[in-house]
Amino acid sequence: EKPSEPHGPDGIPAGFLWGAATASYQVEGAVHEGGRGASIWDTFSHTPGKVQNGDTGDVADDFFHRYRDDVQLMKRMGLQAFRFSVAWPRVFPSGSGTPLVQGLDFYKKLVDELHANGIEPFCTLYHWDLPQALQDNGGWENPDTARHLADYEGYVAGELSRAGVRHFFTMNEIRTFAELGYGNGTHAPGLAVGRKRLAQLTHTILMGHGLSVQAIRAHSATGVRVGLCENPVAPVPATLEPEDVRAAALAMREENAAYLTAILEGRYTEKYLRRLEDDAPRFTADEMRTISSPLDAVGLNFYTSTYVRSAPGGYEVLPTPSDFPHTASTWLTVSPECMHWGPRLVQELWQPKTIYITENGCSAADTMTSRGEVLDTGRVMYLRNCLGQMRQAIRNGAAVKGYFVWSLLDNFEWADGYSKRFGVVYVDYGNQTRTPKLSAQFYSSMIASNGADL
Ligand code: GBH
């Protein structure tokens, strides 16, 4: 056995972390327990017509009560890391003020359970469950929300770092919760505020991220790692001609100008500001320094690709043909190259020290056979191809140090409710029984060999 070297010919470096991801509102349930306040997702899911079939996260996977069994499941699968999120309104029921004393009890018990079973906790501090009371004061349109977020994140990171958590992410997918929550209204809080206000509130969200990075560092035990999770558009060059590869890099920078680019460069691109004209956000140089506070890790969520080619003015985004293969979700085209070009272009453009793939996975029409099995060969195919492409990214120099499949369990898939299943473990919502799917067996065997046969 020759030792595998980072970025060497073996592809997957020794010490690589294999994990699974979840988010509070999607799995916890127990929405009235422990003095938890309401979040915008409680309000939204209880508003008729907003979520498929009127589904809500009231019970979800009942993870709040079943986490011990679920950690055993993770252990049996051979998981080395687990990414979860903290529900802000469990800790500050109305978003600010004095924290609830028992608000972090659940997360501390979860963290202890993970540690006792040799699983490294990765904590996302904001995966979209904004306290409703803050939305009532304008939500992300109110700059105070950014300060409240930083107070909350500093407090939680302080407490959980003393419980041994070493990895924190300030936020999950700014693009998604800004554009869907306030741009087209398909996610909570269900608003469509127009281009100018959207650009300004996105800036406020970026400020929330930057202030939180500073607060986490100020309040945590030493040695914590701070990052954020974003889902950049992943441009894939249509051909391997150098000009198309250059076009993909340009597209990575411009298509993500309001999010990852602003955070990693500390500026909005000229093209972005020019495109918005009078609707461009107002900001100061000082704010841009806050937004770009140095990070220890960048978390990237990749599901699907955007094909681009070189064109006058830089690049051209190619349309998706109507017969392009997709999973149970039409937006989720089967295009694993995002896992190669995504991390590779992020590395080339911004040289992060560490990249984690914090989400990757797919929906499928999972059903149980009469023998009680879920034979999700489509997901096995999807994951195998994505992981092979990730290995290619590592070979080409991307500093990918860990991978989290989305998701451990079938769960509340936002506006799709329970109609879309993303888990490698099947959940029977009638009785909360968990059944590992074929993809869980594939994933476990792949972990056992550290990706040797990808
Ligand atoms: C992630 O978002 C989320 O972080 C996670 O919570 C979620 O469960 C997971 O992916 C799976 O969706 O229905 O055509 O309007 C991924 C980015 C942005 C993808 C919103 C789906 C809706 C497309 N998502 N998008 S559509």
Side-chain angles (χ1 to χ4, degrees):
E1 279 285 344
K2 63 180 160 85
S4 54
E5 45 190 16
H7 310 168
D10 288 332
I12 306 292
F16 192 87
L17 281 177
W18 297 105
T22 60
S24 49
Y25 190 70
Q26 295 182 272
V27 299
E28 284 178 3
V31 292
H32 299 299
E33 276 179 61
R36 175 187 178 282
S39 83
I40 56 174
W41 271 97
D42 296 298
T43 309
F44 189 76
S45 67
H46 281 272
T47 306
K50 298 297 186 189
V51 175
Q52 280 259 327
N53 304 316
D55 291 340
T56 73
D58 287 3
V59 178
D61 292 333
D62 196 29
F63 182 70
F64 191 81
H65 297 113
R66 294 169 193 266
Y67 68 95
R68 279 198 186 84
D69 289 345
D70 289 336
V71 171
Q72 288 311 307
L73 190 56
M74 296 178 212
K75 190 183 181 184
R76 283 199 298 279
M77 285 174 59
L79 297 191
Q80 299 157 347
F82 179 60
R83 173 175 171 241
F84 65 95
S85 81
V86 173
W88 184 349
R90 285 199 192 281
V91 193
F92 292 87
S94 57
S96 61
T98 329
L100 252 192
V101 204
Q102 77 270 29
L104 280 170
D105 286 359
F106 165 67
Y107 301 103
K108 288 179 179 166
K109 286 186 288 180
L110 171 62
V111 162
D112 287 349
E113 198 71 15
L114 290 166
H115 282 141
N117 289 281
I119 300 168
E120 183 77 31
F122 281 67
C123 176
T124 310
L125 290 158
Y126 183 74
H127 199 127
W128 310 351
D129 35 11
L130 183 75
Q132 180 61 45
L134 295 185
Q135 185 55 45
D136 295 341
N137 282 322
W140 289 109
E141 291 205 85
N142 183 343
D144 289 343
T145 299
R147 287 185 279 277
H148 295 318
L149 179 84
D151 290 346
Y152 149 73
E153 296 208 4
Y155 172 74
V156 174
E159 293 288 307
L160 292 188
S161 67
R162 281 183 286 280
V165 177
R166 295 186 292 177
H167 303 273
F168 292 97
F169 299 110
T170 57
M171 286 180 177
N172 183 68
E173 296 190 355
I174 297 170
R175 175 196 299 281
T176 305
F177 76 86
E179 292 185 3
L180 276 57
Y182 296 83
N184 66 22
T186 55
H187 277 195
L191 301 174
V193 301
R195 191 170 81 154
K196 188 184 184 72
R197 281 164 64 188
L198 181 60
Q200 196 61 51
L201 76 88
T202 300
H203 180 74
T204 300
I205 293 169
L206 299 185
M207 280 299 289
H209 157 76
L211 292 170
S212 292
V213 172
Q214 297 174 357
I216 293 168
R217 293 203 196 286
H219 291 93
S220 295
T222 51
V224 302
R225 306 260 157 213
V226 189
L228 98 157
C229 304
E230 192 47 44
N231 59 325
V233 166
V236 170
T239 80
L240 296 173
E241 297 297 337
E243 62 263 33
D244 284 346
V245 175
R246 270 196 300 276
L250 285 176
M252 173 63 90
R253 195 164 171 264
E254 290 302 340
E255 296 291 311
N256 302 301
Y259 315 103
L260 208 51
T261 308
I263 287 169
L264 297 178
E265 294 188 15
R267 64 177 158 189
Y268 292 118
T269 66
E270 275 170 43
K271 230 177 165 169
Y272 170 72
L273 295 175
R274 227 182 309 124
R275 183 166 60 77
L276 287 182
E277 301 174 311
D278 290 347
D279 294 340
R282 298 159 61 86
F283 58 89
T284 66
D286 202 43
E287 287 169 353
M288 295 316 283
R289 272 191 293 278
T290 300
I291 286 168
S292 58
S293 298
L295 300 177
D296 304 304
V298 176
L300 301 174
N301 300 351
F302 288 126
Y303 289 87
T304 192
S305 309
T306 299
Y307 295 89
V308 302
R309 67 175 175 187
S310 127
Y315 67 91
E316 174 190 5
V317 172
L318 300 175
T320 305
S322 59
D323 65 348
F324 201 103
H326 60 78
T327 67
S329 308
T330 43
W331 61 268
L332 215 168
T333 57
V334 181
S335 46
E337 308 98 302
C338 58
M339 290 285 287
H340 170 205
W341 291 97
R344 174 173 166 167
L345 294 172
V346 166
Q347 190 72 46
E348 281 176 20
L349 284 166
W350 299 300
Q351 296 88 42
K353 282 177 287 215
T354 297
I355 291 173
Y356 293 108
I357 302 300
T358 37
E359 289 181 25
N360 169 245
C362 69
S363 56
D366 300 309
T367 51
M368 200 173 273
T369 66
S370 55
R371 294 171 56 193
E373 296 183 297
V374 180
L375 301 174
D376 56 337
T377 48
R379 183 175 287 106
V380 172
M381 177 275 282
Y382 177 95
L383 293 177
R384 196 194 316 260
N385 280 290
C386 282
L387 290 168
Q389 292 287 310
M390 179 184 79
R391 181 170 168 163
Q392 194 62 23
I394 295 170
R395 282 196 183 115
N396 284 322
V400 185
K401 306 287 171 64
Y403 169 93
F404 297 78
V405 69
W406 184 273
S407 179
L408 177 69
L409 304 168
D410 292 335
N411 60 50
F412 178 79
E413 178 53 21
W414 308 114
D416 288 328
Y418 299 100
S419 71
K420 295 286 181 280
R421 294 178 178 271
F422 275 82
V424 293
V425 174
Y426 184 87
V427 176
D428 179 333
Y429 294 110
N431 57 19
Q432 294 292 344
T433 304
R434 276 71 162 135
T435 306
K437 303 175 190 176
L438 188 62
S439 58
Q441 292 174 38
F442 163 75
Y443 192 44
S444 295
S445 66
M446 194 278 312
I447 293 172
S449 67
N450 199 35
D453 285 314
L454 287 174

